[in-house]
Amino acid sequence: MRVSRRDFLRASAALSGALALRAAGLSALQDAIAATGESTVPVIWLQGQGCTGCSVSFLNSVHYATADELLLQSLDVRFHPNVMAAAGDEAVAAADSARRAGGYVLVIEGAIPFGADGQYCHLWEGMTMVDAIRSFAPGAIAVLAVGTCATYAGIPGGRPNPTDALGVDEALERLGITAQTINIPGCPVHPDWLVGTVAKLLNGQAPQLDSYGRPLDYFPQKKIHDRCPLKGTEEANRLGLQSCLKKLGCRGPKTHADCDIRQWNSSGSGAYGVSWCIGAGSPCIGCVEPGFPDSMSPFYRDGEDFADGLPMTDQVQIAQARYYADGRRLHVEAESSGSEEAGLTLYGYGLMTFNGDSGLFEYIRDGAGDPGGFVTVLSSLGGSATAEVERVDEGAPPDDEPGDGETADEIRIVRAEYRHRTSQLSVDVVSSAGREAALTVLGYGPMAPVGRRHRYRQRGVANPGETVTVVSDRGGTAEAQVQHRR
Protein backbone atom coordinates (compact mmCIF):
# COMPACT_ATOMS: atom_id res chain seq x y z
CA MET A 1 0.00 0.00 0.00
CA ARG A 2 1.37 3.41 -0.98
CA VAL A 3 0.88 6.27 1.47
CA SER A 4 1.86 9.83 0.81
CA ARG A 5 4.69 11.91 2.15
CA ARG A 6 1.93 14.19 3.48
CA ASP A 7 0.60 11.42 5.74
CA PHE A 8 4.05 10.65 7.06
CA LEU A 9 4.75 14.28 7.86
CA ARG A 10 1.41 14.57 9.63
CA ALA A 11 2.29 11.59 11.83
CA SER A 12 5.77 12.98 12.43
CA ALA A 13 4.41 16.33 13.57
CA ALA A 14 2.00 14.69 15.97
CA LEU A 15 4.88 12.75 17.46
CA SER A 16 7.54 15.44 17.30
CA GLY A 17 7.87 15.64 21.07
CA ALA A 18 8.79 11.98 21.11
CA LEU A 19 11.20 12.59 18.27
CA ALA A 20 12.95 15.21 20.41
CA LEU A 21 12.87 17.72 17.53
CA ARG A 22 13.49 21.37 18.30
CA ALA A 23 10.55 23.77 18.16
CA ALA A 24 11.83 25.09 14.84
CA GLY A 25 11.80 21.53 13.52
CA LEU A 26 8.15 21.08 14.55
CA SER A 27 7.18 24.33 12.85
CA ALA A 28 8.97 23.27 9.68
CA LEU A 29 7.20 19.92 9.72
CA GLN A 30 3.84 21.64 10.01
CA ASP A 31 4.70 23.99 7.17
CA ALA A 32 5.73 21.01 5.05
CA ILE A 33 2.38 19.32 5.71
CA ALA A 34 0.55 22.37 4.48
CA ALA A 35 2.70 22.66 1.37
CA THR A 36 3.14 19.06 0.32
CA GLY A 37 1.00 17.24 -2.20
CA GLU A 38 0.49 13.53 -2.47
CA SER A 39 3.96 12.71 -3.88
CA THR A 40 5.89 9.97 -2.17
CA VAL A 41 9.53 9.14 -1.57
CA PRO A 42 10.12 5.42 -2.15
CA VAL A 43 12.23 3.42 0.29
CA ILE A 44 14.32 0.40 -0.72
CA TRP A 45 15.61 -1.61 2.24
CA LEU A 46 18.39 -4.13 1.53
CA GLN A 47 19.90 -6.59 4.01
CA GLY A 48 23.51 -7.76 3.89
CA GLN A 49 25.55 -9.59 6.52
CA GLY A 50 23.61 -9.30 9.74
CA CYS A 51 21.07 -10.89 12.05
CA THR A 52 18.01 -8.84 10.95
CA GLY A 53 17.99 -7.41 14.47
CA CYS A 54 17.74 -3.83 13.23
CA SER A 55 14.61 -4.68 11.24
CA VAL A 56 13.17 -6.36 14.33
CA SER A 57 13.98 -3.28 16.42
CA PHE A 58 12.36 -1.03 13.82
CA LEU A 59 9.26 -3.23 13.78
CA ASN A 60 9.02 -2.85 17.56
CA SER A 61 8.46 0.87 17.14
CA VAL A 62 5.53 2.04 19.28
CA HIS A 63 6.84 5.33 20.68
CA TYR A 64 5.86 7.27 17.56
CA ALA A 65 3.65 4.77 15.79
CA THR A 66 3.26 1.02 15.51
CA ALA A 67 5.02 -0.95 12.80
CA ASP A 68 1.86 -1.38 10.70
CA GLU A 69 1.11 2.37 10.96
CA LEU A 70 4.62 3.17 9.77
CA LEU A 71 4.74 0.64 6.97
CA LEU A 72 1.14 0.83 5.78
CA GLN A 73 0.25 4.45 6.47
CA SER A 74 3.51 6.41 6.42
CA LEU A 75 6.33 4.95 4.34
CA ASP A 76 6.28 3.94 0.70
CA VAL A 77 8.48 0.88 1.18
CA ARG A 78 9.04 -0.67 -2.24
CA PHE A 79 11.29 -3.48 -1.03
CA HIS A 80 12.01 -5.04 2.36
CA PRO A 81 12.78 -8.79 2.39
CA ASN A 82 11.00 -9.42 5.73
CA VAL A 83 7.81 -7.39 5.65
CA MET A 84 6.72 -6.93 2.02
CA ALA A 85 3.77 -9.00 0.83
CA ALA A 86 5.38 -9.83 -2.50
CA ALA A 87 7.93 -12.62 -2.84
CA GLY A 88 10.22 -14.12 -5.44
CA ASP A 89 10.29 -12.55 -8.90
CA GLU A 90 7.52 -10.09 -8.01
CA ALA A 91 9.54 -8.69 -5.10
CA VAL A 92 12.71 -8.42 -7.18
CA ALA A 93 10.77 -6.69 -9.94
CA ALA A 94 9.47 -4.12 -7.43
CA ALA A 95 13.02 -3.34 -6.29
CA ASP A 96 14.27 -3.08 -9.87
CA SER A 97 11.39 -0.84 -10.90
CA ALA A 98 12.12 1.57 -8.04
CA ARG A 99 15.82 1.51 -8.91
CA ARG A 100 15.19 2.43 -12.54
CA ALA A 101 12.87 5.28 -11.51
CA GLY A 102 15.47 6.73 -9.11
CA GLY A 103 14.81 9.30 -6.39
CA TYR A 104 14.51 6.82 -3.53
CA VAL A 105 15.95 6.50 -0.04
CA LEU A 106 18.21 3.46 0.16
CA VAL A 107 18.38 1.76 3.55
CA ILE A 108 21.24 -0.69 4.09
CA GLU A 109 21.13 -3.14 6.98
CA GLY A 110 24.12 -5.43 7.50
CA ALA A 111 27.71 -5.39 6.30
CA ILE A 112 28.89 -5.74 2.71
CA PRO A 113 31.31 -8.68 2.23
CA PHE A 114 33.82 -8.22 -0.61
CA GLY A 115 35.64 -11.53 -0.06
CA ALA A 116 35.37 -14.26 -2.73
CA ASP A 117 34.17 -11.63 -5.22
CA GLY A 118 31.16 -10.88 -3.05
CA GLN A 119 29.87 -14.45 -3.03
CA TYR A 120 29.45 -14.59 0.76
CA CYS A 121 26.11 -12.75 0.61
CA HIS A 122 23.37 -13.05 -2.03
CA LEU A 123 20.15 -11.01 -1.93
CA TRP A 124 18.50 -12.98 -4.69
CA GLU A 125 19.66 -15.06 -7.63
CA GLY A 126 22.42 -13.26 -9.50
CA MET A 127 22.58 -10.34 -7.04
CA THR A 128 25.29 -10.25 -4.38
CA MET A 129 25.32 -7.54 -1.74
CA VAL A 130 28.30 -5.95 -3.52
CA ASP A 131 26.33 -5.97 -6.79
CA ALA A 132 23.35 -4.42 -5.00
CA ILE A 133 25.43 -1.52 -3.64
CA ARG A 134 26.85 -1.00 -7.11
CA SER A 135 23.36 -1.02 -8.66
CA PHE A 136 21.18 0.79 -6.11
CA ALA A 137 23.43 3.40 -4.46
CA PRO A 138 23.99 5.70 -7.49
CA GLY A 139 20.26 6.43 -7.91
CA ALA A 140 19.50 7.10 -4.23
CA ILE A 141 18.83 10.61 -2.94
CA ALA A 142 20.22 9.40 0.40
CA VAL A 143 21.78 6.20 1.71
CA LEU A 144 20.99 5.29 5.31
CA ALA A 145 23.38 2.78 6.91
CA VAL A 146 21.21 1.28 9.64
CA GLY A 147 22.88 -0.57 12.49
CA THR A 148 26.56 -1.01 13.33
CA CYS A 149 27.08 -3.80 10.79
CA ALA A 150 26.05 -1.43 8.00
CA THR A 151 27.87 1.62 9.37
CA TYR A 152 31.25 0.15 10.35
CA ALA A 153 30.96 -3.59 9.45
CA GLY A 154 30.27 -4.45 13.10
CA ILE A 155 30.37 -8.10 14.13
CA PRO A 156 30.87 -9.47 10.57
CA GLY A 157 33.92 -7.20 10.31
CA GLY A 158 35.45 -8.38 13.59
CA ARG A 159 38.78 -10.16 13.69
CA PRO A 160 39.91 -11.84 11.52
CA ASN A 161 37.17 -10.62 9.13
CA PRO A 162 37.48 -13.60 6.75
CA THR A 163 34.73 -12.31 4.42
CA ASP A 164 36.34 -8.86 4.05
CA ALA A 165 33.17 -7.22 5.40
CA LEU A 166 32.93 -3.43 5.07
CA GLY A 167 30.52 -0.75 6.18
CA VAL A 168 28.61 1.36 3.67
CA ASP A 169 31.03 4.31 3.51
CA GLU A 170 34.03 2.09 2.85
CA ALA A 171 32.10 -0.07 0.38
CA LEU A 172 31.05 2.98 -1.61
CA GLU A 173 34.61 4.26 -1.64
CA ARG A 174 35.98 0.92 -2.80
CA LEU A 175 33.42 0.85 -5.62
CA GLY A 176 34.14 4.47 -6.56
CA ILE A 177 30.54 5.59 -5.89
CA THR A 178 29.70 9.02 -4.51
CA ALA A 179 26.53 9.14 -2.40
CA GLN A 180 24.99 11.11 0.48
CA THR A 181 25.28 8.74 3.42
CA ILE A 182 23.97 8.93 6.98
CA ASN A 183 25.21 6.45 9.56
CA ILE A 184 22.75 5.30 12.23
CA PRO A 185 24.67 2.70 14.24
CA GLY A 186 23.52 0.49 17.08
CA CYS A 187 23.44 -3.22 17.79
CA PRO A 188 20.58 -3.07 17.17
CA VAL A 189 19.60 0.42 16.04
CA HIS A 190 17.05 2.19 18.24
CA PRO A 191 13.81 2.63 16.25
CA ASP A 192 13.58 6.29 17.27
CA TRP A 193 16.98 7.05 15.77
CA LEU A 194 15.86 5.73 12.40
CA VAL A 195 12.32 7.13 12.36
CA GLY A 196 13.49 10.56 13.54
CA THR A 197 16.16 10.73 10.85
CA VAL A 198 13.76 9.70 8.10
CA ALA A 199 11.30 12.36 9.30
CA LYS A 200 13.93 15.05 8.87
CA LEU A 201 14.87 13.82 5.40
CA LEU A 202 11.26 13.79 4.20
CA ASN A 203 10.90 17.30 5.57
CA GLY A 204 13.77 18.41 3.36
CA GLN A 205 16.16 18.89 6.27
CA ALA A 206 19.69 17.49 6.34
CA PRO A 207 20.50 16.15 9.82
CA GLN A 208 23.62 17.65 11.37
CA LEU A 209 26.22 14.87 11.50
CA ASP A 210 29.28 14.20 13.62
CA SER A 211 32.69 13.20 12.23
CA TYR A 212 31.50 9.59 11.87
CA GLY A 213 28.41 10.54 9.86
CA ARG A 214 25.96 10.07 12.78
CA PRO A 215 23.02 12.44 13.46
CA LEU A 216 23.91 14.65 16.39
CA ASP A 217 20.26 14.59 17.49
CA TYR A 218 20.80 11.03 18.72
CA PHE A 219 24.59 10.72 18.98
CA PRO A 220 25.58 13.88 20.88
CA GLN A 221 29.06 15.14 21.62
CA LYS A 222 28.66 14.32 25.31
CA LYS A 223 29.34 10.72 26.18
CA ILE A 224 26.95 8.43 28.03
CA HIS A 225 29.22 8.54 31.08
CA ASP A 226 28.87 12.33 31.27
CA ARG A 227 25.11 12.01 31.81
CA CYS A 228 24.95 8.61 33.49
CA PRO A 229 22.72 8.58 36.61
CA LEU A 230 25.26 6.22 38.23
CA LYS A 231 28.17 8.61 37.77
CA GLY A 232 29.77 9.40 41.10
CA THR A 233 28.27 6.41 42.89
CA GLU A 234 30.35 3.69 44.52
CA GLU A 235 32.02 1.48 41.93
CA ALA A 236 30.32 -1.91 41.57
CA ASN A 237 32.24 -5.17 42.03
CA ARG A 238 29.60 -7.33 40.33
CA LEU A 239 26.76 -7.01 37.84
CA GLY A 240 23.21 -6.10 38.79
CA LEU A 241 24.05 -3.33 41.24
CA GLN A 242 22.88 0.27 40.86
CA SER A 243 26.46 1.49 41.13
CA CYS A 244 29.08 2.80 38.70
CA LEU A 245 30.14 0.00 36.33
CA LYS A 246 33.40 1.48 35.02
CA LYS A 247 35.61 -1.14 36.63
CA LEU A 248 33.45 -3.93 35.24
CA GLY A 249 34.20 -2.74 31.73
CA CYS A 250 31.50 -0.15 31.03
CA ARG A 251 32.18 1.66 27.73
CA GLY A 252 30.06 4.66 28.68
CA PRO A 253 33.22 6.84 28.91
CA LYS A 254 33.84 6.16 25.18
CA THR A 255 30.29 6.05 23.80
CA HIS A 256 28.18 8.78 22.15
CA ALA A 257 24.45 7.97 22.22
CA ASP A 258 21.27 9.11 23.98
CA CYS A 259 20.34 5.65 25.34
CA ASP A 260 20.22 7.06 28.88
CA ILE A 261 17.49 9.52 27.84
CA ARG A 262 15.55 7.60 25.20
CA GLN A 263 15.92 4.10 26.65
CA TRP A 264 14.39 0.96 25.11
CA ASN A 265 11.08 -0.94 24.96
CA SER A 266 8.60 1.93 25.00
CA SER A 267 5.36 1.00 26.73
CA GLY A 268 3.19 2.97 24.35
CA SER A 269 2.73 5.93 22.05
CA GLY A 270 4.54 9.04 23.22
CA ALA A 271 6.34 7.23 26.05
CA TYR A 272 10.08 6.83 26.35
CA GLY A 273 11.50 3.37 26.94
CA VAL A 274 11.55 1.56 30.25
CA SER A 275 15.19 0.46 30.50
CA TRP A 276 18.66 0.42 28.95
CA CYS A 277 21.90 -1.52 29.42
CA ILE A 278 23.24 0.40 32.43
CA GLY A 279 19.74 0.76 33.88
CA ALA A 280 19.54 -3.04 33.91
CA GLY A 281 22.80 -3.24 35.86
CA SER A 282 24.98 -4.24 32.90
CA PRO A 283 27.90 -2.27 31.41
CA CYS A 284 27.49 -0.30 28.20
CA ILE A 285 29.29 -2.20 25.43
CA GLY A 286 29.80 0.79 23.12
CA CYS A 287 27.88 -0.77 20.24
CA VAL A 288 27.43 2.54 18.37
CA GLU A 289 31.17 3.27 18.08
CA PRO A 290 33.55 2.52 15.17
CA GLY A 291 35.63 -0.58 15.78
CA PHE A 292 32.87 -2.42 17.64
CA PRO A 293 33.10 -5.22 18.70
CA ASP A 294 36.90 -5.56 18.69
CA SER A 295 37.76 -2.10 20.02
CA MET A 296 35.21 -2.55 22.83
CA SER A 297 36.11 -6.14 23.76
CA PRO A 298 36.01 -7.78 26.18
CA PHE A 299 32.55 -6.55 27.19
CA TYR A 300 33.01 -7.57 30.82
CA ARG A 301 36.10 -7.85 32.95
CA ASP A 302 36.84 -8.20 36.64
CA GLY A 303 37.10 -4.80 38.29
CA GLU A 304 40.80 -5.18 39.14
CA ASP A 305 41.64 -5.42 35.43
CA PHE A 306 40.19 -2.01 34.60
CA ALA A 307 41.18 1.58 35.18
CA ASP A 308 38.70 4.37 34.43
CA GLY A 309 36.49 1.90 32.61
CA LEU A 310 39.15 0.98 30.04
CA PRO A 311 41.00 -2.34 29.80
CA MET A 312 44.54 -2.42 31.10
CA THR A 313 47.32 -3.97 29.03
CA ASP A 314 47.13 -7.75 28.86
CA GLN A 315 49.79 -9.49 30.95
CA VAL A 316 51.32 -12.19 28.75
CA GLN A 317 53.74 -14.88 29.94
CA ILE A 318 55.38 -17.52 27.77
CA ALA A 319 55.25 -20.86 29.56
CA GLN A 320 57.46 -22.71 27.10
CA ALA A 321 59.09 -22.21 23.70
CA ARG A 322 60.76 -25.21 22.10
CA TYR A 323 62.08 -25.94 18.62
CA TYR A 324 62.64 -29.58 17.64
CA ALA A 325 65.24 -29.55 14.89
CA ASP A 326 64.60 -33.01 13.41
CA GLY A 327 60.97 -32.38 12.53
CA ARG A 328 61.27 -28.59 12.54
CA ARG A 329 58.48 -28.52 15.10
CA LEU A 330 57.86 -25.25 16.93
CA HIS A 331 55.92 -25.57 20.19
CA VAL A 332 55.03 -22.42 22.13
CA GLU A 333 52.64 -22.09 25.08
CA ALA A 334 51.62 -18.76 26.60
CA GLU A 335 49.35 -17.51 29.35
CA SER A 336 47.21 -14.35 29.17
CA SER A 337 45.65 -12.34 31.98
CA GLY A 338 42.74 -11.86 29.59
CA SER A 339 42.23 -15.64 29.59
CA GLU A 340 40.57 -17.00 26.47
CA GLU A 341 39.02 -13.58 25.70
CA ALA A 342 42.40 -12.39 24.43
CA GLY A 343 43.69 -13.15 20.96
CA LEU A 344 47.36 -14.17 21.06
CA THR A 345 49.62 -14.27 18.03
CA LEU A 346 53.07 -15.80 17.75
CA TYR A 347 54.97 -13.08 15.93
CA GLY A 348 56.13 -14.25 12.52
CA TYR A 349 54.06 -17.43 12.61
CA GLY A 350 50.37 -16.88 13.28
CA LEU A 351 47.41 -17.13 15.63
CA MET A 352 47.66 -19.22 18.78
CA THR A 353 44.86 -21.59 19.89
CA PHE A 354 43.37 -21.57 23.36
CA ASN A 355 43.51 -24.93 25.16
CA GLY A 356 40.63 -25.12 27.61
CA ASP A 357 42.18 -28.02 29.50
CA SER A 358 45.48 -26.31 30.27
CA GLY A 359 44.18 -22.73 30.21
CA LEU A 360 47.09 -21.81 27.90
CA PHE A 361 47.37 -20.59 24.34
CA GLU A 362 49.33 -22.97 22.08
CA TYR A 363 51.12 -22.83 18.77
CA ILE A 364 52.32 -26.19 17.47
CA ARG A 365 53.52 -26.60 13.91
CA ASP A 366 55.69 -29.13 12.08
CA GLY A 367 57.89 -27.85 9.27
CA ALA A 368 58.21 -24.42 10.84
CA GLY A 369 61.14 -22.19 10.07
CA ASP A 370 63.84 -21.94 12.73
CA PRO A 371 62.84 -19.08 15.08
CA GLY A 372 66.43 -18.45 16.14
CA GLY A 373 67.11 -17.56 19.76
CA PHE A 374 63.83 -15.89 20.79
CA VAL A 375 60.07 -15.79 20.09
CA THR A 376 57.56 -13.04 20.79
CA VAL A 377 53.86 -13.37 21.57
CA LEU A 378 51.49 -10.44 20.96
CA SER A 379 48.03 -9.94 22.51
CA SER A 380 45.02 -8.29 20.90
CA LEU A 381 44.50 -6.56 24.26
CA GLY A 382 47.81 -4.76 24.01
CA GLY A 383 50.37 -6.90 25.84
CA SER A 384 53.40 -8.87 24.60
CA ALA A 385 56.12 -11.17 25.88
CA THR A 386 59.46 -12.44 24.58
CA ALA A 387 61.21 -15.63 25.68
CA GLU A 388 64.31 -17.60 24.80
CA VAL A 389 63.76 -20.67 22.64
CA GLU A 390 64.84 -24.04 24.00
CA ARG A 391 66.37 -26.08 21.16
CA VAL A 392 65.96 -29.84 21.09
CA ASP A 393 68.66 -30.97 18.65
CA GLU A 394 67.85 -34.62 18.13
CA GLY A 395 69.46 -34.23 14.73
CA ALA A 396 71.33 -31.57 12.83
CA PRO A 397 69.13 -28.58 11.98
CA PRO A 398 68.62 -27.99 8.24
CA ASP A 399 71.30 -25.94 6.54
CA ASP A 400 68.88 -23.75 4.62
CA GLU A 401 65.84 -22.03 6.05
CA PRO A 402 63.00 -22.81 6.19
CA GLY A 403 64.46 -26.21 5.23
CA ASP A 404 64.11 -29.32 3.06
CA GLY A 405 64.86 -27.30 -0.04
CA GLU A 406 62.04 -24.87 0.75
CA THR A 407 62.84 -21.27 -0.14
CA ALA A 408 61.84 -18.30 1.96
CA ASP A 409 58.43 -16.83 1.22
CA GLU A 410 58.50 -13.84 -1.12
CA ILE A 411 56.06 -11.22 0.17
CA ARG A 412 54.81 -8.15 -1.63
CA ILE A 413 52.65 -5.56 0.14
CA VAL A 414 50.18 -4.21 -2.42
CA ARG A 415 48.23 -1.99 -0.05
CA ALA A 416 48.94 -0.36 3.32
CA GLU A 417 46.43 2.29 4.37
CA TYR A 418 45.40 3.90 7.66
CA ARG A 419 42.12 5.80 7.95
CA HIS A 420 42.13 8.31 10.78
CA ARG A 421 38.35 8.72 10.83
CA THR A 422 37.76 5.09 11.85
CA SER A 423 41.29 4.28 13.12
CA GLN A 424 41.36 1.45 10.59
CA LEU A 425 44.50 -0.22 9.27
CA SER A 426 44.17 -2.09 5.96
CA VAL A 427 47.02 -4.20 4.59
CA ASP A 428 46.87 -6.45 1.50
CA VAL A 429 49.71 -8.82 0.68
CA VAL A 430 50.63 -11.25 -2.09
CA SER A 431 52.68 -14.27 -0.95
CA SER A 432 54.64 -16.67 -3.13
CA ALA A 433 53.52 -19.46 -0.77
CA GLY A 434 49.87 -18.62 -1.40
CA ARG A 435 47.21 -19.51 1.12
CA GLU A 436 49.52 -22.03 2.83
CA ALA A 437 51.60 -19.29 4.40
CA ALA A 438 50.70 -17.77 7.77
CA LEU A 439 51.31 -14.02 7.56
CA THR A 440 51.32 -11.51 10.40
CA VAL A 441 51.30 -7.70 10.41
CA LEU A 442 53.99 -6.91 12.94
CA GLY A 443 52.52 -5.35 16.04
CA TYR A 444 48.90 -5.95 14.99
CA GLY A 445 48.08 -9.58 14.31
CA PRO A 446 47.52 -12.36 11.78
CA MET A 447 46.31 -11.84 8.23
CA ALA A 448 43.42 -13.77 6.68
CA PRO A 449 43.67 -15.39 3.23
CA VAL A 450 41.12 -13.76 0.90
CA GLY A 451 41.19 -15.01 -2.67
CA ARG A 452 44.77 -14.82 -3.90
CA ARG A 453 45.82 -12.36 -1.25
CA HIS A 454 46.28 -12.15 2.50
CA ARG A 455 44.42 -9.32 4.17
CA TYR A 456 44.48 -7.50 7.50
CA ARG A 457 41.69 -5.03 8.11
CA GLN A 458 40.92 -3.80 11.61
CA ARG A 459 39.26 -0.73 13.10
CA GLY A 460 40.06 0.98 16.35
CA VAL A 461 43.81 0.32 16.16
CA ALA A 462 46.76 2.56 16.87
CA ASN A 463 48.36 4.72 14.17
CA PRO A 464 51.17 2.63 12.60
CA GLY A 465 53.26 5.65 11.66
CA GLU A 466 55.17 5.70 8.37
CA THR A 467 55.62 1.99 7.61
CA VAL A 468 54.23 -1.47 8.34
CA THR A 469 56.04 -4.80 8.29
CA VAL A 470 54.61 -8.18 7.35
CA VAL A 471 56.33 -11.45 8.28
CA SER A 472 55.72 -14.99 7.06
CA ASP A 473 56.09 -18.27 8.91
CA ARG A 474 58.01 -19.39 5.80
CA GLY A 475 60.81 -16.95 6.51
CA GLY A 476 60.02 -13.92 4.37
CA THR A 477 59.41 -10.30 5.39
CA ALA A 478 58.28 -7.13 3.66
CA GLU A 479 57.97 -3.47 4.58
CA ALA A 480 55.86 -0.78 2.92
CA GLN A 481 54.99 2.88 3.27
CA VAL A 482 51.60 3.59 4.85
CA GLN A 483 49.13 5.81 3.01
CA HIS A 484 47.32 8.01 5.55
CA ARG A 485 43.76 9.14 4.81
CA ARG A 486 41.15 11.09 6.79
Side-chain angles (χ1 to χ4, degrees):
M1 176 179 179
R2 293 184 181 179
V3 179
S4 69
R5 175 174 179 265
R6 176 189 182 95
D7 290 337
F8 181 81
L9 292 171
R10 182 181 292 113
S12 297
L15 295 163
S16 62
L19 283 167
L21 296 175
R22 293 184 293 271
L26 172 57
S27 176
L29 277 173
Q30 292 171 332
D31 292 343
I33 291 171
T36 185
E38 292 297 317
S39 61
T40 61
V41 177
V43 176
I44 301 175
W45 187 309
L46 304 178
Q47 292 177 338
Q49 279 182 304
C51 66
T52 317
C54 291
S55 285
V56 172
S57 180
F58 173 65
L59 295 176
N60 282 333
S61 175
V62 295
H63 186 105
Y64 314 115
T66 63
D68 53 346
E69 287 171 340
L70 288 168
L71 293 171
L72 300 179
Q73 301 176 24
S74 302
L75 301 177
D76 182 13
V77 179
R78 301 291 181 87
F79 183 88
H80 189 303
N82 302 125
V83 301
M84 65 187 303
D89 292 341
E90 185 180 353
V92 173
D96 190 58
S97 175
R99 178 190 63 80
R100 285 185 277 106
Y104 48 84
V105 173
L106 179 62
V107 177
I108 302 296
E109 176 184 3
I112 302 98
F114 278 76
D117 296 324
Q119 297 301 311
Y120 288 116
C121 184
H122 285 254
L123 304 190
W124 53 80
E125 186 176 359
M127 180 68 72
T128 68
M129 191 60 182
V130 174
D131 293 333
I133 297 296
R134 188 182 288 116
S135 299
F136 287 88
I141 57 176
V143 179
L144 271 60
V146 174
T148 301
C149 294
T151 52
Y152 314 120
I155 290 174
R159 294 189 185 98
N161 194 6
T163 63
D164 190 19
L166 299 181
V168 169
D169 280 337
E170 291 181 289
L172 292 173
E173 182 174 353
R174 181 175 293 193
L175 295 173
I177 298 173
T178 301
Q180 174 62 52
T181 61
I182 299 175
N183 291 325
I184 314 175
C187 191
V189 69
H190 196 295
D192 296 3
W193 300 340
L194 175 57
V195 175
T197 302
V198 172
K200 271 203 166 183
L201 287 174
L202 293 185
N203 189 39
Q205 294 178 318
Q208 187 178 359
L209 307 178
D210 69 5
S211 60
Y212 295 113
R214 302 175 295 192
L216 284 169
D217 286 340
Y218 311 107
F219 305 93
Q221 291 296 322
K222 281 192 173 182
K223 302 177 180 69
I224 283 179
H225 179 70
D226 297 330
R227 304 183 308 272
C228 182
L230 301 181
K231 183 179 181 181
T233 61
E234 183 179 355
E235 293 177 343
N237 58 8
R238 62 179 175 85
L239 297 178
L241 300 177
Q242 289 299 303
S243 300
C244 183
L245 300 166
K246 285 197 303 181
K247 287 192 174 180
L248 296 181
C250 183
R251 303 306 193 200
K254 299 175 67 176
T255 302
H256 301 82
D258 68 353
C259 304
D260 57 306
I261 300 170
R262 195 165 303 278
Q263 303 194 34
W264 293 78
N265 300 319
S266 167
S267 59
S269 177
Y272 279 124
V274 297
S275 190
W276 59 305
C277 295
I278 294 175
S282 177
C284 168
I285 61 174
C287 69
V288 301
E289 294 299 323
F292 176 87
D294 293 336
S295 66
M296 299 294 173
S297 297
F299 297 149
Y300 169 78
R301 289 291 297 274
D302 183 87
E304 295 303 318
D305 294 331
F306 269 74
D308 295 327
L310 304 177
M312 298 177 66
T313 301
D314 189 10
Q315 303 299 310
V316 180
Q317 292 184 329
I318 298 177
Q320 76 161 350
R322 290 182 181 148
Y323 184 71
Y324 299 86
D326 263 356
R328 302 201 321 280
R329 167 176 283 199
L330 180 60
H331 185 168
V332 179
E333 295 181 351
E335 181 179 7
S336 162
S337 63
S339 186
E340 60 184 306
E341 297 170 342
L344 299 192
T345 301
L346 183 61
Y347 164 59
Y349 291 90
L351 199 64
M352 303 183 75
T353 302
F354 184 75
N355 185 325
D357 293 331
S358 66
L360 300 174
F361 286 83
E362 298 178 335
Y363 182 93
I364 303 174
R365 177 166 179 175
D366 292 323
D370 191 332
F374 297 88
V375 291
T376 298
V377 172
L378 308 172
S379 170
S380 63
L381 300 180
S384 66
T386 300
E388 189 172 0
V389 175
E390 177 187 352
R391 300 186 63 88
V392 182
D393 293 322
E394 298 175 353
D399 293 330
D400 54 344
E401 284 297 332
D404 288 351
E406 187 179 344
T407 59
D409 189 7
E410 295 182 6
I411 304 171
R412 179 167 60 90
I413 300 176
V414 296
R415 180 191 184 199
E417 178 182 281
Y418 185 76
R419 293 194 169 276
H420 292 262
R421 178 178 175 183
T422 56
S423 300
Q424 174 171 296
L425 177 63
S426 301
V427 182
D428 289 356
V429 170
V430 175
S431 162
S432 63
R435 297 174 64 91
E436 299 302 317
L439 304 186
T440 301
V441 181
L442 178 59
Y444 290 91
M447 307 187 73
V450 179
R452 297 181 179 180
R453 296 183 177 183
H454 290 256
R455 178 164 294 154
Y456 177 90
R457 180 165 287 112
Q458 187 57 49
R459 297 171 180 79
V461 301
N463 188 332
E466 296 300 317
T467 61
V468 292
T469 300
V470 174
V471 296
S472 170
D473 66 335
R474 303 298 180 93
T477 62
E479 184 176 87
Q481 199 82 12
V482 177
Q483 298 295 319
H484 288 265
R485 305 186 187 280
R486 293 185 62 185

